[in-house]
Amino acid sequence: MSIVPSPIANLPWRLMMLVTAIALFGITVLYSAASGSMTPWALNQLVRFIVFAGMALVLSRIPVSLFATYAWPAYGAIVIALILVELIGGVAGGSQRWINLGFMQLQPSEFMKPVIVLAVARFYARLPVGEVRRWNAIWPALLMIGLPWALVIVQPDLGTATMIAAGGITVMFLAGLPLRLFIGAGLAVAAFIPFAFMFLLHEYQQKRVLIFLDPESDPLGAGYHISQSKIAIGSGGLFGKGFLNGTQSHLDYLPEGHTDFVFATMAEEWGLVGGALMIFAFLLLFRWGLRVSTRAKDRFSRLTAAGLTTTIFFYVAINLMMVMGLAPVVGIPLPFMSYGGSSMLTVMLCLGIIMSIAREAKSRGNRLL
Amino acid sequence: MAHDGMKFPKLTPKHVTEASLTQTFSRRAFALGAIQGGVGALLVGRMAWISIADNEKYALLSESNRVNLTLVPPRRGWILDRHGKPLAKNRTDFRVDIIPDRLRNKDAVIGSLANLLSLSPDDVERIREDLENSAGFQPVQVADKLSYEQFAAVSVRLPDLPGVAPAQGFSRDYPAGPTVGHLLGYVGIASAEQYKERKDPLLITPGFKVGKDGLEKSFEQNLTGKPGAKRVEVTARGKVVRELTTRPDTPGNSVRLTIDAGLQEYAGRRLATQSGSVVVMDCQSGDLLAMASMPSFDPNSFSDGISHAEWNMLSEDDHVPLRNKTLQGLYPPGSTVKPMAALSFLEAGLGPEEIVHCGGAISVGNGRFHCWKRGGHGAVNMRRGIAQSCDIYFYVMAQRFGMQVIADMARRLGLGQKFPLPYPSQNYGTVPDPAWKLKKYGKEWQIYDTVNATIGQGYMLVNPTQMAVMAARLASGRQLMPQLVLDPRRPAPAPLGVKQEHLDIIHEAMSAVVNGGGTGGAARIAVPDILMAGKTGTAQVRRITMAERRAGVRRDASLPFKLRDHALFIGYAPFDKPRYAVGTIIEHGGHMNRNEDAPMISGDVLTYLFDPAKALEKLDTLEKQWGGPPNQRLAEQMQTYRIEKGLDPAPPGSGNAAAVPAEDTGQEAAD
């Protein structure tokens, strides 16, 4: 039909352009955060993006069934890794979140974010249709989510644990469990939060939450991150201070300006316009992911595509709420923007799997996308 | 199934099919999409709220983060002498302070500062003490007068030294050192109370000093200028990125004194190792030309923040270096009141040639009063009574004319009088009379009180400035008021209202004291044709018992310092055309050393006014025997004290180290 070979023509070009645009913008921000230098962040990030984007394209060529097959073994392996981390951490003393493999540090909880979606989706895909509204459809999934959640929360890593739980529960929700279960559980959790705050959170976590509620109470101490982040965003105004002109980031007032608070760095220089464009770009990405899910032919693909999209959404939402002072400071980076390898890897894993689902949906004659 | 259903009735399934599940999924995926869109909209709204509605607030916060407004302490006005020579000036200075509130890891910071600036253990101890006593926001001085290399060494390490504030500024410099200590006072960091009271940020600006004592304190408002401001861009760690704008400071006004800088320094040095003071007054205007009080502290080191050891040494010294003797020291004037008493007799009708026979002692009431000369002076008229300082003459005459006559004249000549000099703490002494005694002690005035008062003993107390005023008024016959601030347009003082012929008699007798074989021969001025007129005095500080008098009065040299007599002198020159008057007191001097006694010191000081080179030549020779000029002796005393107390001797050159670069030359323009 066309001079372009079909495997290339069939690549999701619009999505790739969208993601590349976001990532390049992120690299631009990192360039500015380093006071107009490709090192130490921008260049690394660019290389990473190319490598992981390539990996995502490779993943997109893998049949979805293979992901389904390996969902549970992968889940099991990561749970074991989490337990290992806990044991090693216990020996080393203090909180430890990674296993040192010698050549790299492996943070298993990071992988659990997409894998929990695959595992729960796999569970519901295999569940006979008639069982969906029975207890048998609930407790195994809860167990599946609860185990890694518990392992991560004792690390302690509140942000990642929340994302694991949210990812799994999203799949449960999409799988068609009775709505009133979620409403009831939501109310129960709301009632449980004060108790959890008093007895389950570490002191530093409690402090973070309290300061989130009133950051001005301690502007130089633990509230410093949120205060400075809001100052960066607020002082940017509508159009920002201009590229390379941010003072909060360049004069080091904004902590973590190249990682978790990269959005504030961006907003200071690009203003509300830049921020709104970014949020819009992310919304386009989510819309694509959800569309893939509705067009997918089998249950596993549907649940996985929507679940992984929501996982990316959680990254973005939690991070942005955090930098804008709507959520406590939890270490959740902003996909494609924050400097760092593991979050980029996770998000690209998600994208690769969704692209694979999209490819299969398309190849079955659905060319609407 | 039924089993489950019975157990959990709520979950009793409606009919679920593949198709209905897909439908549910689509509905819920749509809901999810809606939620995501909603969250996105919420985030954009939140961002708009922060960046548009609250933009002004956050822009301001960002600006106050970025820009550090620092006050530039104003240069302090100079204090000048009557010829425009600086007594207190400013000097460019590299300094380092600590802001205690911003200090983290105190020990490490002090340790590395001690290393970088080679601070002595004494300095380190002083810094620690200041840090403990400071109110947190007050800067604590680490060191000043640093070399550029030391300053730079601290500046480049700032990121590792939180709370440390290096600054380039001006510090107070008193070229004449200890000899102007009491005259000028000193400056220092404002106290926490002052800051709490005024809340002026200038007070806690590193490098800003306020007057702490003396004229520096009295003329504080005049001397303090208006601060400048410097806006700099700083990083979160306090590193200065660049200077934005600078508004220069407005230096304070200078104050011009009546003091003659050369004379002031000369008098201070000429007081030798004695505890004493010299006040010199102009007999035409009342201008105070010198107000020396020695020993003294060095205002330079006081202004830098004084160490504990130095303070202890000064406060333990029996020569009271912390007291401004010219205004705070009170002494019985001894025989220096005799010309005044004689004048009062003349004004009351005594003939100058009336003779009193001095046999060495007379009986007054129940007691026996002695002349200082055991054998007596024989026949004594007024001239001889003053020249030889015969006590018996004055005992007799005082009994004849009564205390009131003497006391009135004493007050007319300035004794017991308050002078409006710009010092917060002054003592005015006492001129006793019957009414005063009745009021103070509830006792009747006795004849022996009169006898005591007429030789300047008993209740009578004066300060050295009053002695100089008395000398100047006797010399000029005018109601001279002591002046410290130069004002050439001041009207000439009114006459005292005593007969010139009476003054001439007194002048002649006072000249005889010095030039006519009297008791003050040592006060002769070494300049031809200029004759000094004066009167010596000795003030007992102990009671001589009858037993001791029988056995022979003990020599002062055999007494402990505190029991020795004070040596006093008043005088003026030239005797026939009064120009300068002087009042000198040597505490517990006991007339033990002619070179360091009141008459010769007074003579040399007035000699300086007529022939400075000659006076300095003599002083330079003498000073070698005393161990050098006052600042050198003070440093040596400090060293000895440290060794005595088992403290580390201060490293050589510390305190006044490092060659100091250019002086603050903007001052002349501001004058």
Side-chain angles (χ1 to χ4, degrees):
Chain A
M1 297 181 293
S2 160
I3 48 166
V4 183
S6 78
I8 293 176
N10 284 345
L11 285 174
W13 284 108
R14 279 161 60 188
L15 170 80
M16 281 164 60
M17 278 163 62
L18 177 65
V19 169
T20 307
I22 297 174
L24 286 179
F25 189 38
I27 287 159
T28 310
V29 173
L30 289 180
Y31 174 81
S32 169
S35 302
S37 162
M38 286 305 284
T39 53
W41 303 314
L43 189 63
N44 271 0
Q45 188 81 344
L46 180 64
V47 171
R48 264 185 210 139
F49 175 72
I50 292 168
V51 170
F52 290 136
M55 179 204 75
L57 286 177
V58 171
L59 283 177
S60 75
R61 308 302 298 175
I62 293 171
V64 179
S65 59
L66 212 61
F67 296 121
T69 313
Y70 284 104
W72 285 354
Y75 172 85
I78 292 168
V79 167
I80 290 166
L82 282 172
I83 293 168
L84 273 179
V85 168
E86 197 55 37
L87 290 178
I88 294 166
V91 174
S95 78
Q96 186 165 352
R97 297 170 183 184
W98 34 262
I99 300 172
N100 197 339
L101 293 184
F103 62 95
M104 69 172 285
Q105 288 175 345
L106 186 74
Q107 193 169 333
S109 58
E110 191 63 33
F111 291 105
M112 190 46 98
K113 289 172 191 168
V115 167
I116 189 70
V117 171
L118 291 175
V120 177
R122 170 78 170 150
F123 168 71
Y124 285 109
R126 288 186 56 158
L127 194 71
V129 173
E131 297 277 311
V132 164
R133 296 184 81 88
R134 293 178 191 279
W135 279 101
N136 281 343
I138 298 169
W139 68 262
L142 281 180
L143 201 68
M144 216 182 277
I145 297 165
L147 185 61
W149 178 83
L151 286 169
V152 172
I153 207 154
V154 297
Q155 281 184 348
D157 184 348
L158 191 60
T160 306
T162 306
M163 280 193 62
I164 290 168
I169 290 167
T170 303
V171 178
M172 291 173 75
F173 171 74
L174 293 168
L177 298 188
L179 203 55
R180 58 178 185 277
L181 276 182
F182 295 95
I183 294 166
L187 291 175
V189 166
F192 178 70
I193 280 173
F195 171 79
F197 176 79
M198 295 297 287
F199 299 106
L200 296 185
L201 291 191
H202 284 252
E203 200 173 326
Y204 83 92
Q205 291 169 324
Q206 286 182 352
K207 213 168 154 194
R208 276 187 186 177
V209 175
L210 286 178
I211 280 153
F212 148 66
L213 294 174
D214 183 15
E216 273 76 25
S217 68
D218 188 13
L220 290 180
Y224 186 79
H225 286 63
I226 291 180
S227 297
Q228 296 302 333
S229 171
K230 278 161 76 179
I231 291 172
I233 297 170
S235 63
L238 185 57
F239 295 108
K241 294 176 184 168
F243 184 52
L244 296 178
N245 286 338
T247 56
Q248 286 287 103
S249 52
H250 291 157
L251 300 177
D252 297 334
Y253 290 97
L254 181 67
E256 305 291 332
H258 62 291
T259 56
D260 288 359
F261 286 86
V262 72
F263 184 83
T265 304
M266 185 282 298
E268 188 184 16
E269 296 186 357
W270 300 88
L272 177 64
V273 172
L277 269 176
M278 266 203 63
I279 294 170
F280 181 68
F282 276 116
L283 286 178
L284 283 182
L285 177 66
F286 306 147
R287 195 185 69 141
W288 170 79
L290 290 180
R291 278 192 169 183
V292 168
S293 76
T294 52
R295 279 160 200 167
K297 286 301 161 219
D298 64 291
R299 206 163 147 67
F300 175 77
S301 299
R302 274 200 295 267
L303 293 176
T304 302
L308 292 179
T309 302
T310 310
T311 296
I312 302 174
F313 165 77
F314 280 130
Y315 268 108
V316 175
I318 294 176
N319 179 274
L320 293 190
M321 281 161 65
M322 174 176 90
V323 299
M324 293 185 201
L326 294 173
V329 176
V330 287
I332 299 292
L334 185 61
F336 307 118
M337 300 281 290
S338 290
Y339 178 77
S342 47
S343 70
M344 174 94 80
L345 175 60
T346 312
V347 174
M348 283 301 193
L349 273 177
C350 297
L351 275 189
I353 295 166
I354 302 171
M355 283 194 289
S356 160
I357 293 165
R359 185 184 48 80
E360 284 193 4
K362 224 183 205 174
S363 66
R364 285 178 199 172
N366 190 340
R367 294 204 167 263
L368 283 172
L369 187 76
Chain B
M1 291 288 171
H3 171 76
D4 279 347
M6 269 164 70
K7 213 172 181 184
F8 305 103
K10 277 183 185 170
L11 285 182
T12 308
K14 59 181 182 186
H15 191 60
V16 183
T17 63
E18 183 73 43
S20 75
L21 265 187
T22 307
Q23 222 175 21
T24 308
F25 174 83
S26 298
R27 263 202 322 271
R28 292 191 178 183
F30 182 79
L32 209 56
I35 290 169
Q36 291 173 358
V39 170
L42 175 91
L43 288 170
V44 172
R46 168 69 175 175
M47 196 179 162
W49 179 262
I50 297 176
S51 61
I52 306 295
D54 279 350
N55 173 253
E56 214 166 300
K57 168 184 157 191
Y58 287 116
L60 201 70
L61 283 170
S62 154
E63 202 63 5
S64 73
N65 263 349
R66 177 177 80 97
V67 177
N68 203 337
L69 185 78
T70 47
L71 288 175
V72 177
R75 278 163 287 172
R76 209 170 161 77
W78 286 22
I79 300 178
L80 304 167
D81 88 335
R82 60 188 300 114
H83 306 302
K85 194 176 167 196
L87 289 162
K89 55 182 182 174
N90 305 314
R91 179 178 51 190
T92 52
D93 179 32
F94 294 108
R95 50 180 297 111
V96 171
D97 298 82
I98 291 179
I99 314 291
D101 275 347
R102 298 184 205 152
L103 187 61
R104 264 168 281 148
N105 197 357
K106 182 164 114 184
D107 294 325
V109 168
I110 295 178
S112 54
L113 282 179
N115 196 19
L116 287 172
L117 304 175
S118 42
L119 301 174
S120 71
D122 201 35
D123 290 330
V124 172
E125 182 230 15
R126 199 256 317 148
I127 293 164
R128 283 183 188 281
E129 208 163 291
D130 286 356
L131 279 176
E132 250 150 59
N133 299 332
S134 92
F137 45 78
Q138 266 183 299
V140 167
Q141 173 164 321
V142 175
D144 67 355
K145 298 182 197 162
L146 299 171
S147 68
Y148 180 73
E149 285 70 29
Q150 288 173 307
F151 175 78
V154 173
S155 298
V156 298
R157 288 175 179 81
L158 269 193
D160 308 323
L161 299 170
V164 173
Q168 183 181 356
F170 292 96
S171 74
R172 204 61 161 162
D173 182 34
Y174 305 92
T179 57
V180 294
H182 291 301
L183 175 73
L184 302 182
Y186 57 98
V187 295
I189 292 167
S191 68
E193 289 72 37
Q194 279 174 311
Y195 177 67
K196 278 174 193 145
E197 205 176 289
R198 278 163 52 192
K199 284 283 171 222
D200 184 348
L202 181 60
L203 291 178
I204 56 167
T205 305
F208 181 72
K209 303 270 177 83
V210 297
K212 289 288 196 181
D213 197 12
L215 298 184
E216 291 277 25
K217 188 175 184 184
S218 305
F219 292 122
E220 174 67 14
Q221 279 205 311
N222 208 8
L223 292 169
T224 306
K226 290 205 178 67
K230 195 164 65 177
R231 290 171 72 237
V232 289
E233 193 172 271
V234 289
T235 68
R237 288 185 206 89
K239 199 178 137 209
V240 173
V241 179
R242 59 190 163 133
E243 285 195 12
L244 299 171
T245 50
T246 303
R247 188 185 76 219
D249 61 306
T250 312
N253 297 321
S254 55
V255 172
R256 192 147 182 182
L257 302 181
T258 59
I259 295 291
D260 178 320
L263 182 71
Q264 171 75 23
E265 188 173 356
Y266 184 88
R269 287 168 63 190
R270 189 60 190 80
L271 277 164
T273 57
Q274 299 296 326
S275 166
S277 78
V278 174
V279 178
V280 180
M281 202 166 153
D282 187 301
C283 289
Q284 288 159 6
S285 58
D287 287 354
L288 290 164
L289 300 177
M291 290 184 90
S293 169
M294 297 298 284
S296 173
F297 55 88
D298 184 346
N300 290 306
S301 73
F302 258 48
S303 298
D304 297 343
I306 185 176
S307 77
H308 225 252
E310 194 172 358
W311 176 264
N312 283 346
M313 178 189 83
L314 292 172
S315 53
E316 286 165 18
D317 193 333
D318 60 5
H319 284 35
V320 281
L322 295 177
R323 184 191 297 153
N324 181 4
K325 299 179 185 95
T326 60
L327 289 167
Q328 294 170 347
L330 288 180
Y331 311 91
S335 301
T336 60
V337 295
K338 283 175 181 166
M340 176 275 292
L343 181 62
S344 76
F345 303 151
L346 287 173
E347 289 285 296
L350 178 65
E353 293 308 325
E354 196 167 320
I355 299 287
V356 169
H357 185 80
C358 169
I362 59 164
S363 296
V364 178
N366 300 329
R368 205 159 165 74
F369 283 74
H370 295 261
C371 188
W372 65 271
K373 193 168 182 178
R374 279 193 92 185
H377 288 98
V380 178
N381 63 3
M382 182 174 284
R383 185 178 188 275
R384 224 168 103 73
I386 291 173
Q388 297 300 326
S389 199
C390 176
D391 294 332
I392 304 297
Y393 178 86
F394 285 91
Y395 294 156
V396 171
M397 293 307 174
Q399 289 181 72
R400 184 192 299 176
F401 292 100
M403 188 60 207
Q404 203 58 52
V405 169
I406 302 171
D408 289 348
M409 182 56 75
R411 294 192 183 108
R412 277 169 85 183
L413 296 185
L415 302 190
Q417 302 305 296
K418 298 182 179 182
F419 301 118
L421 291 172
Y423 288 90
S425 167
Q426 300 178 46
N427 292 323
Y428 304 106
T430 311
V431 173
D433 62 19
W436 172 84
K437 189 180 177 188
L438 196 64
K439 191 175 168 216
K440 173 113 180 171
Y441 294 103
K443 285 184 184 156
E444 288 299 321
W445 186 263
Q446 301 296 329
I447 193 74
Y448 55 75
D449 288 329
T450 307
V451 170
N452 268 332
T454 195
I455 60 159
Q457 295 277 169
Y459 299 116
M460 195 174 268
L461 287 173
V462 301
N463 70 33
T465 304
Q466 291 168 338
M467 285 169 58
V469 171
M470 177 168 72
R473 287 185 180 179
L474 274 172
S476 65
R478 293 184 172 274
Q479 282 177 322
L480 292 167
M481 290 294 284
Q483 307 291 347
L484 205 53
V485 180
L486 194 66
D487 181 1
R489 289 163 301 177
R490 199 173 281 126
L496 270 177
V498 293
K499 285 196 179 116
Q500 188 58 43
E501 57 187 275
H502 293 163
L503 285 175
D504 290 344
I505 294 164
I506 302 296
H507 292 174
E508 216 279 316
M510 285 174 75
S511 176
V513 169
V514 180
N515 311 299
T519 53
R524 267 192 291 265
I525 287 179
V527 180
D529 303 329
I530 294 186
L531 292 184
M532 165 84 111
K535 182 68 196 82
T536 56
T538 304
Q540 283 172 20
V541 292
R542 67 195 179 102
R543 205 176 172 78
I544 298 174
T545 60
M546 291 308 282
E548 183 182 339
R549 206 172 280 283
R550 275 192 295 277
V553 176
R554 288 177 68 187
R555 304 283 304 174
D556 277 303
S558 69
L559 290 166
F561 177 76
K562 281 281 181 194
L563 295 180
R564 292 175 196 162
D565 297 338
H566 297 314
L568 304 97
F569 188 85
I570 61 164
Y572 68 89
F575 110 91
D576 48 351
K577 264 195 203 117
R579 186 76 187 80
Y580 307 113
V582 62
T584 302
I585 148 99
I586 303 298
E587 275 186 11
H588 307 295
H591 307 300
M592 284 159 49
N593 178 342
R594 211 172 134 81
N595 281 339
E596 300 180 34
D597 201 356
M600 195 184 283
I601 290 174
S602 306
D604 286 353
V605 167
L606 291 199
T607 301
Y608 177 89
L609 286 166
F610 297 104
D611 189 346
K614 193 165 207 172
L616 279 168
E617 189 190 321
K618 179 176 179 186
L619 177 59
D620 288 340
T621 317
L622 285 173
E623 214 167 43
K624 285 188 190 108
Q625 305 161 24
W626 304 330
N631 52 355
Q632 188 182 329
R633 292 202 306 271
L634 191 63
E636 268 157 29
Q637 188 189 359
M638 189 66 219
Q639 201 76 326
T640 316
Y641 181 85
R642 301 187 65 85
I643 292 164
E644 263 170 38
K645 295 281 163 183
L647 299 165
D648 297 315
S654 85
N656 48 2
V660 169
E663 281 173 355
D664 145 34
T665 45
Q667 184 65 33
E668 279 83 1
D671 286 348

